[in-house]
Amino acid sequence: MPETPSLLSRRRLERAGSLHWLHAVVVGLSVLLTLGAWHVSREQVEERKRRQFERECEQVLGMVRERMQKYEDALWGGVALIDTLGRDVRHGEWLRFTETLDIETKYPGINGLGVIFRVERGELDAFLDGQRVGRPGFRVHPEHGEHTLYPITFIEPVADNQQAVGLDMAHEENRHAAVRAARDTGRATITGPIVLVQDEARSPGFLFFVPFYGDALDPTEGGALRGVVYAPFVVRKLMEGVLHKENRHVGVRITDGDEVLYDEHLSEEPDHDPEPLHRTRQRLELYGRSWEFDLRSTRSFRSAQGSAQPLTILLSGLTIDALLLWIFLGLSRANRRALQYADDANRELTEKAADLERSNEDLARFAYVASHDLQEPLRMVGSFAELLDEEYRARLDEQGRRWLAFLVDGAHRMQALVRDLLTYSRVGRHEYSFGPVDADRLLHGVLGDLAGAVEEAGAVLRCEPLPTLWGDEAQLRLVLQNLVSNALKFRDPGRRAVVQVRAVPAQGEGRVMLEVEDSGIGIEQRYADRVFAIFQRLHTHDAYRGTGLGLAIAKKIVEDHGGSISFRSEPGRGTTFRVELRTPPRGPSLARTRHRRPARRSA
Amino acid sequence: MSPLLMLVEDGPGDVELVRVALRRTGRGTRLLVARDGVEALERLRADDEQLPDLLLVDVNLPRMGGHELLAEVRRDPLLARLPLVLFSTSSLEEDVLEARRLGADDYVTKPDGGRALVQAVAELERVWLGPGGRAFSDRGPAAAGRAPGRP
């Protein structure tokens, strides 16, 4: 199939409407962007979670340190009391002191607050005597071989700590070492993990010691240790007080060396996360011990810190991508449908055009055959009517001669009609041979043919120089002939006939307008649409002879040449017919058909 | 001897018209009529018949048309130099050109009126048969190279 412009533009449409790599790139990039945004957002959320976890870990450690300081302060309060007294504190005084402190409400997690005196073995009896004044059952236990004894002398509230009363710190190295450390440094110390004698749950705990001295405030000034103020802790209780579970999303395990002090990483813990998102280990140096904190995020951390943002971004993005794809597919489908529609419409039109062409051709053929075959018998009628008129005229009466005249006239008119009809039907069937046509020469030929008519009309001809036209010479000659003979025919009997032929510039490249102007009777505007119609006559035969085909033939030829014909008229003044035609194309076609090209002379 | 015209024509009307035209011109030209090309050839080739001075041949004929007859005549060495004028209703330029291309000596359009036909026949007689015309009697080598058309 040849590449016609419509086929090319159709191809372009097909290409534009089909899905190709650009669409794939757009969708692909969009998906990549979505995934990128999702990734970045997820990273940010992860980062935020990590920071949140770190912050919570800091909080836990900070609270433990703070709470331990608070307990230490309470213990130092006890030391201050003893130092203020300037003598050994008595049980009643200690009781009042602890009641004032209001341990249970102000120091949650602390088991009690007690005093341990340093007792040399040699002073033990005197010490026991002194203590048994108000507490006859007081005894120091258990037995051991050390020279210096550190019995728990008072512990308040005593109710929960009954077993601890009289317990000697020196009986066991863990407690003893912490006491000695307090004694030697003058600072608060804690023991390693122990099981408190008063804790029935036997969970890990430790003791907190703060030393006091007899005559000086600390050992650097040479003071001898008088005893320690002490507090026992069960770590579990301590932590329950310290770390409120609400709003905490980290679990804690505290170990001191190999021993576990406190552990929330147990499956029975409700918020335990077997696979924590974050975990960290941190060491806290506390009063001579080193506690290791194993911190892990809990299950509630997941939900509290979970963010819907990345998922929202991902889902929104993918939805938009899907819509984009849907739009592309829709556009493509719409385009295919449009093309399909155009094809269908085109096919229908082509079929209709073919039908029309066929029926047109049938009609033209019919007109041709009819007019051609009509000629022969008509010629017989005309010829013999004429012969009859010539040879038998004398033998006819007046009526016979009149009738014969009608017969001859009718035959002649019909012959003219059939001849013109044949010409008209041949116009469409004629194979045009296009070439340059010298309109000047054409006009002079026409005027030569019409010389008789010109003379009969007594017409004045004014012809201006005409350009070279592009068309079929014989056909264009027919146009000029019809127009000029028309101009001569419809003359006004009241004035001299003047026929002017000239060329005027036309709009558009390569076009020219020929004008044939007469001074005839003119055409009323209401007949405008009938002037060029086939067999249309505006006058009776008696007034103007003619078949009514001349202008129809001219119009058909002009239109076959891609031109147009029109007229302008003023009834009683004259008519101007205007024919727009082409001039020869520039370029090679001119070189091929050599012809004389008259210079355009201005009119 | 008066000249002889052979009319090859199937229409009785046209035959009658030509007969009237010849009568009117009054040159005494005799008329020989054949109904078609086949009959014309038979009569041209018959030994006992006199050859006509001019063949006036209708283009549209049954059995053998004017163009075919023209070709046969031109092919026949005995007939080749007979003046042959084609005679038809059509006035189209292409038909005229075709006739000349095929070797007709002239082409005459059948006129519309009886009066016009008489004029046409008179012209034919003047050109081809009359004194000073290119009569058959003096047709010689000139006939072959004769330019078509009226002199």
Side-chain angles (χ1 to χ4, degrees):
Chain A
M1 225 185 202
E3 291 278 307
T4 61
S6 67
L7 202 64
L8 275 177
S9 62
R10 194 188 189 286
R11 288 256 168 80
R12 223 170 288 134
L13 267 178
E14 268 173 12
R15 262 202 306 281
S18 60
L19 291 177
H20 48 88
W21 61 268
L22 196 60
H23 295 103
V25 165
V26 169
V27 173
L29 275 179
S30 176
V31 169
L32 274 180
L33 269 175
T34 302
L35 291 177
W38 171 65
H39 182 70
V40 167
S41 164
R42 213 178 48 160
E43 292 272 287
Q44 282 175 345
V45 166
E46 284 303 308
E47 176 67 15
R48 209 161 58 226
K49 281 185 185 174
R50 200 176 52 75
R51 293 224 182 108
Q52 180 63 22
F53 174 73
E54 283 171 3
R55 202 155 48 238
E56 288 208 24
C57 290
E58 288 292 322
Q59 265 173 8
V60 166
L61 293 175
M63 279 163 75
V64 168
R65 195 184 285 116
E66 187 185 336
R67 187 55 70 97
M68 293 296 278
Q69 241 154 31
K70 198 173 170 189
Y71 296 147
E72 185 192 353
D73 288 348
L75 290 175
W76 282 115
V79 170
L81 168 70
I82 293 163
D83 282 347
T84 308
L85 286 173
R87 56 169 170 81
D88 289 347
V89 67
R90 290 173 192 143
H91 185 227
E93 291 163 343
W94 189 252
L95 183 60
R96 200 171 317 130
F97 170 69
T98 55
E99 278 171 359
T100 309
L101 278 184
D102 191 8
I103 291 168
E104 286 185 16
T105 51
K106 288 190 182 155
Y107 297 94
I110 203 164
N111 237 35
L113 208 57
V115 180
I116 294 168
F117 285 107
R118 182 179 68 96
V119 183
E120 295 300 325
R121 199 167 277 281
E123 301 165 357
L124 180 61
D125 289 340
F127 172 75
L128 285 174
D129 288 346
Q131 294 304 324
R132 283 174 180 161
V133 172
R135 297 179 293 171
F138 183 82
R139 61 187 191 90
V140 174
H141 60 95
E143 283 296 326
H144 59 82
E146 293 289 334
H147 289 289
T148 309
L149 283 64
Y150 296 103
I152 296 170
T153 310
F154 320 125
I155 172 82
E156 292 298 339
V158 76
D160 298 333
N161 297 292
Q162 200 57 54
Q163 285 119 309
V165 177
L167 187 73
D168 190 349
M169 295 297 104
H171 84 279
E172 179 264 333
E173 182 53 24
N174 188 2
R175 293 173 171 86
H176 196 191
V179 172
R180 285 204 307 273
R183 178 196 68 193
D184 297 342
T185 59
R187 297 180 181 205
T189 59
I190 58 174
T191 66
I194 57 171
V195 172
L196 296 185
V197 292
Q198 58 268 47
D199 182 21
E200 284 165 5
R202 309 200 71 74
S203 62
F206 63 91
L207 304 179
F208 207 149
F209 299 125
V210 174
F212 59 93
Y213 304 88
D215 35 14
L217 289 177
D218 65 69
T220 54
E221 295 173 13
L225 183 77
R226 280 293 298 125
V228 293
V229 176
Y230 110 105
F233 290 89
V234 173
V235 181
R236 183 174 43 78
K237 287 185 187 168
L238 169 72
M239 288 303 160
E240 276 164 10
V242 173
L243 309 167
H244 298 287
K245 277 283 194 169
E246 315 85 68
N247 299 327
R248 180 158 69 88
H249 306 108
V250 294
V252 186
R253 173 196 277 161
I254 306 169
T255 48
D256 182 341
D258 294 334
E259 292 191 67
V260 176
L261 278 171
Y262 180 70
D263 193 358
E264 287 175 345
H265 304 331
L266 302 168
S267 49
E268 56 264 31
E269 284 280 332
D271 203 17
H272 175 69
D273 189 347
E275 287 173 32
L277 295 175
H278 301 279
R279 55 191 302 169
T280 182
R281 283 168 187 276
Q282 297 205 22
R283 218 161 253 290
L284 198 59
E285 300 299 329
L286 275 177
Y287 308 106
R289 302 298 301 183
S290 177
W291 283 8
E292 191 180 75
F293 284 72
D294 177 5
L295 299 144
R296 298 178 193 177
S297 63
T298 60
R299 274 223 303 270
S300 61
F301 182 83
R302 286 177 188 258
S303 48
Q305 296 307 319
S307 169
Q309 194 186 358
L311 198 64
T312 309
I313 287 174
L314 185 67
L315 288 179
S316 317
L318 288 179
T319 306
I320 288 169
D321 295 343
L323 285 175
L324 206 58
L325 195 63
W326 185 66
I327 286 170
F328 284 157
L329 288 172
L331 279 176
S332 167
R333 196 167 49 233
N335 187 62
R336 274 200 307 279
R337 280 188 190 151
L339 280 175
Q340 182 63 46
Y341 172 75
D343 287 348
D344 290 348
N346 203 19
R347 194 161 40 246
E348 260 174 51
L349 272 177
T350 310
E351 280 166 13
K352 271 186 191 152
D355 283 352
L356 258 176
E357 206 169 309
R358 210 163 28 246
S359 78
N360 234 358
E361 203 160 300
D362 289 349
L363 211 61
R365 176 174 291 275
F366 168 77
Y368 176 73
V369 169
S371 52
H372 186 265
D373 289 0
L374 281 173
Q375 272 188 318
E376 199 59 31
L378 253 180
R379 201 165 48 76
M380 288 299 124
V381 174
S383 298
F384 284 101
E386 224 175 87
L387 290 182
L388 259 183
D389 188 38
E390 281 173 15
E391 299 194 5
Y392 295 85
R393 197 179 172 77
R395 296 190 220 171
L396 292 173
D397 61 5
E398 179 56 32
Q399 179 175 276
R401 283 196 289 275
R402 208 167 55 240
W403 288 3
L404 195 56
F406 285 138
L407 181 59
V408 171
D409 181 56
H412 284 169
R413 258 163 42 201
M414 189 139 176
Q415 278 171 340
L417 266 175
V418 168
R419 199 169 44 237
D420 280 358
L421 188 60
L422 187 63
T423 307
Y424 182 80
S425 70
R426 283 180 55 85
V427 167
R429 298 163 54 80
H430 192 264
E431 285 271 323
Y432 292 105
S433 63
F434 275 59
V437 177
D438 184 344
D440 271 328
R441 205 164 45 113
L442 208 61
L443 181 61
H444 288 124
V446 166
L447 292 178
D449 288 352
L450 292 174
V454 173
E455 197 177 330
E456 187 198 334
V460 176
L461 294 172
R462 286 184 196 141
C463 301
E464 292 172 8
L466 300 179
T468 301
L469 305 172
W470 183 255
D472 183 298
E473 178 156 0
Q475 302 289 317
L476 289 181
R477 183 191 178 104
L478 207 50
V479 173
L480 263 185
Q481 183 164 336
N482 283 342
L483 290 180
V484 173
S485 73
N486 232 43
L488 292 170
K489 192 192 297 174
F490 295 100
R491 62 183 180 272
D492 191 326
R495 59 176 177 270
R496 191 175 190 113
V498 179
V499 178
Q500 302 179 71
V501 183
R502 60 176 166 265
V504 296
Q507 284 196 333
E509 178 78 13
R511 306 194 80 86
V512 69
M513 187 92 81
L514 297 188
E515 284 189 352
V516 177
E517 183 179 347
D518 64 48
S519 59
I521 54 172
I523 304 166
E524 280 185 53
Q525 200 54 42
R526 62 192 162 114
Y527 297 126
D529 54 338
R530 289 169 57 183
V531 166
F532 297 107
I534 187 168
F535 290 132
Q536 284 293 346
R537 294 174 47 87
L538 303 180
H539 305 279
T540 63
H541 286 288
D542 298 336
Y544 299 99
R545 307 219 139 218
T547 59
L549 271 163
L551 287 176
I553 291 169
K555 180 178 163 72
K556 201 167 172 188
I557 293 172
V558 168
E559 285 176 353
D560 282 352
H561 277 70
S564 64
I565 187 166
S566 61
F567 76 92
R568 199 176 57 211
S569 182
E570 223 177 302
R573 300 288 297 272
T575 308
T576 305
F577 277 92
R578 320 184 75 185
V579 180
E580 195 197 273
L581 287 166
R582 278 185 285 175
T583 55
R586 296 165 192 279
S589 58
L590 265 186
R592 183 175 50 79
T593 48
R594 296 171 65 190
H595 66 288
R596 188 174 64 85
R597 193 174 176 195
R600 279 267 190 95
R601 286 153 293 184
S602 55
Chain B
M1 192 188 265
S2 53
L4 182 63
L5 171 71
M6 180 185 261
L7 175 65
V8 189
E9 169 65 66
D10 62 324
D14 279 318
V15 173
E16 177 70 9
L17 283 172
V18 171
R19 200 188 301 282
V20 170
L22 290 177
R23 196 184 67 211
R24 286 208 185 168
T25 57
R27 287 176 177 252
T29 304
R30 290 169 297 145
L31 184 64
L32 203 60
V33 178
R35 293 308 194 87
D36 56 50
V38 175
E39 189 188 333
L41 273 181
E42 273 172 11
R43 297 183 67 168
L44 287 172
R45 285 168 182 163
D47 292 336
D48 55 340
E49 295 251 10
Q50 184 197 347
L51 278 179
D53 298 292
L54 177 66
L55 277 166
L56 187 58
V57 182
D58 187 14
V59 173
N60 293 308
L61 293 169
R63 292 210 287 182
M64 182 190 288
H67 288 164
E68 205 181 333
L69 175 61
L70 173 61
E72 289 288 335
V73 167
R74 290 289 178 254
R75 246 199 311 275
D76 190 324
L78 289 175
L79 305 175
R81 290 181 178 175
L82 270 178
L84 193 150
V85 173
L86 282 175
F87 190 52
S88 174
T89 325
S90 171
S91 60
L92 295 173
E93 195 182 1
E94 63 223 55
D95 291 331
V96 179
L97 292 175
E98 175 76 357
R100 290 186 179 171
R101 196 183 61 76
L102 290 170
D105 292 285
D106 203 353
Y107 180 95
V108 174
T109 301
K110 290 179 181 172
D112 277 346
R115 217 173 292 126
L117 187 87
V118 172
Q119 279 169 16
V121 170
E123 182 70 6
L124 278 175
E125 284 183 302
R126 189 183 66 76
V127 172
W128 298 103
L129 306 172
R134 285 172 284 183
F136 178 63
S137 49
D138 62 46
R139 80 176 192 268
R146 195 154 50 216
R150 295 168 189 185

